[in-house]
């Protein structure tokens, strides 16, 4: 789960991380009221969408010369004008894709005079199984570009979970950023706050870009991107209210209600599979046969009729789906139960596209019999290769006039 910049900053502030003051606003009036509570003389009006690159982004509805999604304002009137221009518009950045995202919230925050910008991130490094701190002197830039062009300007330090964050980690990060004296001390404090926040919220990433040195010699977090590990959501009920459903794909939201792992893709073959590995293999073999999967969908180990029906509905609500491939391995969940679920679901949603089913595992014969006797036009497949060939042939076959 990802959250907005303003939510991330409010959260980090609770862990003692220095952020400029600011308030979220859903309307022009709220933006003006927010600006009035800040001292000025410089304000920043920031579009709140779950994507970075806002500063250099473009609004679809505004001309090519219009300013991006992060704007400086030197008076309350400028805050008002910028808020009015940005709210409700579509912002396209390098991270949103061409469709962009509609700006429904703004963040009105203190403008600071920046002397230098750094990059600082905490993430889970799967290779070492540790939290990694990534630091770079090249802040305010796209970190992927820095990694590509000047990888020597990125320092990575991993933290042993047995010791947790130690003072030497803070010194190493300060050294990597070229900070000395008081700024080095501030850097160690910021890192400690970020680390406590990371552990305390079961985050999956905290990215600060930029971490700025102000003209007053203070370190400040000017932009923050925070994501949480969904496996630990049950431990953080308070964080659930930070979720902004308008930022998520409606079908993915529906899937999460039924505990289905669903990700929409660009192809035409809907997939319903149990187990993430089997789902990946199913997608691979569809591609091998020359077609593209319309989604990744793992119904999980405990797939029952309700889940299978929900999965069918979600797949069919995607107009790009021209055929469905069900690939289920009956282990703990028996094939006959799965088959019952498929038949009931196919009836309930009045299936309109070809359906190929491959069942394997416990009670496979009973399962196949249920499908064959259902009277539904279900195409049975013997193995994964057979199933992929059959559904691809169905989808590619010319439609009768
Ligand atoms: P994004 O990464 O989505 O473009 P940022 O919040 O990083 O958005 O803003 C882009 C740039 O705008 C920053 O690199 C910084 O130079 C400037 N900026 C952001 N917030 C402030 C602020 N509070 N005061 C002054 N400048 C800011
Ligand atoms: Mg940024």
């Amino acid at each position: 789960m990802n959250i907005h910049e303003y939510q991330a900053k409010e959260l980090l502030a609770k862990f003692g991380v220095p952020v400029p003051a600011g308030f979220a606003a859903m309307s022009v009036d709220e933006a003006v009221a927010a600006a009035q509570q800040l001292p000025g003389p410089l304000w920043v009006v920031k579009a709140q969408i779950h994507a970075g690159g806002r500063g250099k982004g473009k609004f679809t509805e505004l001309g090519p010369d219009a300013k991006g999604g992060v704007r400086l304002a030197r008076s309350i009137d400028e805050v008002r004008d910028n808020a009015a221009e940005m709210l409700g518009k579509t912002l396209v950045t390098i991270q949103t894709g061409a469709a962009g995202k509609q700006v429904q919230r703004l963040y009105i925050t203190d403008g600071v005079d920046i002397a230098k910008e750094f990059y600082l991130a905490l993430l889970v490094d799967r290779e070492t199984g540790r939290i990694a701190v990534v630091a770079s002197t090249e802040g305010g830039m796209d970190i992927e570009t820095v990694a590509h062009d000047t990888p020597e300007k990125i320092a990575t330090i991993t933290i042993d979970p047995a010791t947790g964050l130690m003072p030497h980690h803070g010194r190493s990060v300060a050294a990597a950023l070229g900070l000395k004296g008081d700024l080095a001390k501030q850097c160690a404090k910021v890192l400690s706050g970020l680390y406590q926040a990371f552990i305390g919220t079961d985050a999956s990433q905290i990215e600060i870009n930029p971490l700025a040195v102000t003209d007053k010699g203070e370190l400040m977090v000017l932009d923050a991107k925070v994501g949480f590990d969904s496996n630990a959501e049950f431990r953080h009920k308070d964080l659930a209210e930070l979720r902004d459903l308008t930022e998520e794909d409606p079908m993915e939201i529906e899937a999460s209600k039924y505990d289905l792992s669903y990700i929409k893709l660009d192809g035409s073959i809907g997939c319903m599979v149990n187990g993430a590995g089997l789902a990946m293999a199913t997608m691979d073999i569809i591609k091998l046969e020359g077609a593209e999967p319309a989604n990744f969908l793992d119904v999980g180990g405990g797939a029952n009729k309700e889940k299978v029906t929900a999965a069918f509905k979600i797949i069919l609500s995607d107009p790009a789906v021209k055929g469905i491939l069900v690939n289920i391995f009956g282990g703990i969940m028996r094939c006959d139960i799965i088959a019952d679920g498929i038949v009931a679901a196919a009836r309930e949603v009045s299936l309109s596209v070809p359906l190929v089913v491959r069942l394997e595992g416990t009670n496979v014969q009973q399962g196949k019999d249920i499908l064959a006797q259902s009277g539904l036009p279900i195409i049975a497949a013997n193995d994964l290769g057979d199933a992929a060939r059959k559904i691809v042939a169905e989808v590619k076959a010319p439609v009768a006039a």
Side-chain angles (χ1 to χ4, degrees):
M1 181 182 97
N2 294 319
I3 58 174
H4 288 293
E5 174 200 0
Y6 76 91
Q7 298 167 321
K9 283 181 171 168
E10 283 168 10
L11 185 77
L12 294 178
K14 286 186 194 151
F15 289 89
V17 176
V19 299
F23 303 95
M26 307 283 277
S27 67
V28 177
D29 287 346
E30 281 180 23
V32 169
Q36 280 163 346
Q37 290 183 68
L38 297 168
L42 188 62
W43 293 263
V44 190
V45 182
K46 308 182 79 173
Q48 298 297 291
I49 54 171
H50 285 188
R54 296 162 299 165
K56 295 197 179 81
K58 291 278 169 211
F59 285 98
T60 312
E61 297 87 349
L62 306 178
D65 298 329
K67 284 188 250 162
V70 176
R71 300 179 176 189
L72 296 178
R74 296 190 183 275
S75 66
I76 304 267
D77 281 337
E78 276 186 38
V79 169
R80 181 186 292 111
D81 293 347
N82 281 300
E85 195 171 282
M86 291 159 80
L87 274 170
K89 302 286 183 357
T90 312
L91 183 57
V92 179
T93 81
I94 46 163
Q95 291 185 8
T96 59
K101 288 205 158 164
Q102 198 191 31
V103 177
Q104 293 168 320
R105 302 182 194 200
L106 297 173
Y107 188 47
I108 314 300
T109 179
D110 265 339
V112 303
D113 286 315
I114 302 170
K116 188 140 186 30
E117 297 188 328
F118 301 117
Y119 177 95
L120 182 60
L122 273 67
L123 45 91
V124 179
D125 180 21
R126 286 166 203 279
E127 230 162 87
T128 54
R130 294 176 172 193
I131 293 173
V133 181
V134 180
S136 174
T137 50
E138 306 306 290
M141 294 180 39
D142 181 29
I143 196 66
E144 282 80 12
T145 311
V146 180
H148 182 267
D149 297 346
T150 48
E152 71 280 3
K153 290 188 173 164
I154 297 181
T156 305
I157 295 155
T158 61
I159 298 167
D160 189 333
T163 63
L165 190 77
M166 304 286 282
H168 71 85
H169 292 123
R171 290 195 292 273
S172 298
V173 170
L177 298 179
L179 297 174
K180 296 192 181 75
D182 185 54
L183 277 171
K185 278 192 197 141
Q186 290 184 45
C187 176
K189 247 190 96 188
V190 169
L191 182 65
S192 164
L194 294 177
Y195 184 79
Q196 301 308 327
F198 197 99
I199 299 286
T201 63
D202 287 310
S204 54
Q205 69 154 344
I206 297 182
E207 185 184 55
I208 310 301
N209 190 19
L211 172 69
V213 181
T214 69
D215 61 342
K216 296 193 184 77
E218 287 168 339
L219 270 189
M220 279 265 174
V221 165
L222 295 195
D223 186 15
K225 188 175 174 189
V226 173
F228 304 109
D229 181 350
S230 54
N231 294 306
E233 262 163 28
F234 71 98
R235 300 211 289 206
H236 304 282
K237 299 272 189 274
D238 52 323
L239 296 176
E241 69 189 39
L242 301 180
R243 193 167 170 195
D244 180 358
L245 291 175
T246 65
E247 290 284 336
E248 298 176 28
D249 183 289
M251 286 190 249
E252 291 179 15
I253 296 168
E254 188 62 21
S256 69
K257 285 185 200 158
Y258 293 91
D259 227 0
L260 302 163
S261 305
Y262 171 88
I263 293 160
K264 163 127 181 66
L265 300 168
D266 295 332
S268 61
I269 298 181
C271 306
M272 191 171 92
V273 188
N274 64 340
L278 194 58
M280 299 297 277
T282 306
M283 287 160 48
D284 278 349
I285 205 151
I286 287 172
K287 280 171 175 275
L288 190 68
E289 292 298 329
E292 293 289 327
N295 65 275
F296 167 97
L297 199 162
D298 172 12
V299 293
N304 53 20
K305 187 195 146 202
E306 204 193 9
K307 267 195 174 188
V308 173
T309 309
F312 262 111
K313 283 186 181 163
I314 289 164
I315 292 173
L316 284 169
S317 66
D318 178 358
V321 168
K322 304 285 178 264
I324 300 177
L325 171 55
V326 174
N327 184 21
I328 300 278
F329 183 81
I332 298 167
M333 180 56 60
R334 289 156 17 219
C335 288
D336 51 327
I337 307 256
I338 299 279
D340 274 335
I342 293 169
V343 170
R347 286 213 173 99
E348 195 177 324
V349 299
S350 59
L351 197 68
S352 51
V353 294
L355 169 63
V356 172
V357 179
R358 179 253 180 164
L359 288 178
E360 195 56 83
T362 315
N363 289 1
V364 63
Q365 197 48 52
Q366 288 99 307
K368 284 183 173 173
D369 291 346
I370 290 168
L371 295 180
Q373 288 153 17
S374 70
L376 289 164
I378 296 172
I379 303 160
N382 297 320
D383 56 44
L384 185 46
D386 184 40
R389 274 188 297 279
K390 280 179 173 158
I391 191 63
V392 173
E394 285 292 326
V395 169
K396 289 200 167 160
V399 182

